[in-house]
Amino acid sequence: MPPAAPYRILNATVRWPRYATRGEVNYGAFDRFTLVHFLIGVGYGLLALELWVTAVLAIAWEVLEDFLKASVPMLFPHGTRDTLRNAAGDVAAVLTGWILTYWLLRA
């Protein structure tokens, strides 16, 4: 996939990083950061956030993460953009962590 066109933020030109390719972090549905996303879901469950709030936060993060990788890539150990498959896996991991926590706390 060709790199996306640059865009402007606060009068500065920002270039989108490339999407991850096969074998790289951020490509597959699950990668080394899946556990982190799962644990975030556990944390949201322990905070007693509702499932819909957890879903909105997880999706919002994935959108924000894409913009942050373009504007401040040094915040991330892997600067490639998440594939849609990876972003969906990240959201699924957060929701799975929340659901498991909800189930365990109410069992």
Side-chain angles (χ1 to χ4, degrees):
M1 176 173 276
Y7 69 100
R8 299 190 64 75
I9 294 180
L10 299 176
N11 207 26
T13 300
V14 178
R15 297 195 180 278
W16 289 106
R18 66 178 176 80
Y19 282 96
T21 57
R22 186 178 302 280
E24 290 184 304
V25 171
N26 300 329
Y27 177 78
F30 306 107
D31 59 24
R32 69 177 75 168
F33 295 104
T34 301
L35 179 60
V36 173
H37 288 86
F38 176 83
L39 292 174
I40 290 169
V42 169
Y44 288 164
L46 292 172
L47 291 172
L49 296 182
E50 294 188 33
L51 180 60
W52 72 269
V53 173
T54 298
V56 167
L57 288 173
I59 293 167
W61 166 253
E62 291 302 318
V63 172
L64 178 63
E65 179 185 23
D66 203 39
F67 287 103
L68 289 174
K69 283 184 178 180
S71 53
V72 276
M74 71 283 293
L75 292 178
F76 300 90
H78 301 280
T80 56
R81 293 173 74 185
D82 291 5
T83 61
L84 182 57
R85 159 187 353 209
N86 182 262
D90 290 348
V91 171
V94 171
L95 296 178
T96 301
W98 185 95
I99 290 167
L100 182 63
T101 303
Y102 180 86
W103 180 76
L104 289 173
L105 291 177
R106 281 133 190 97

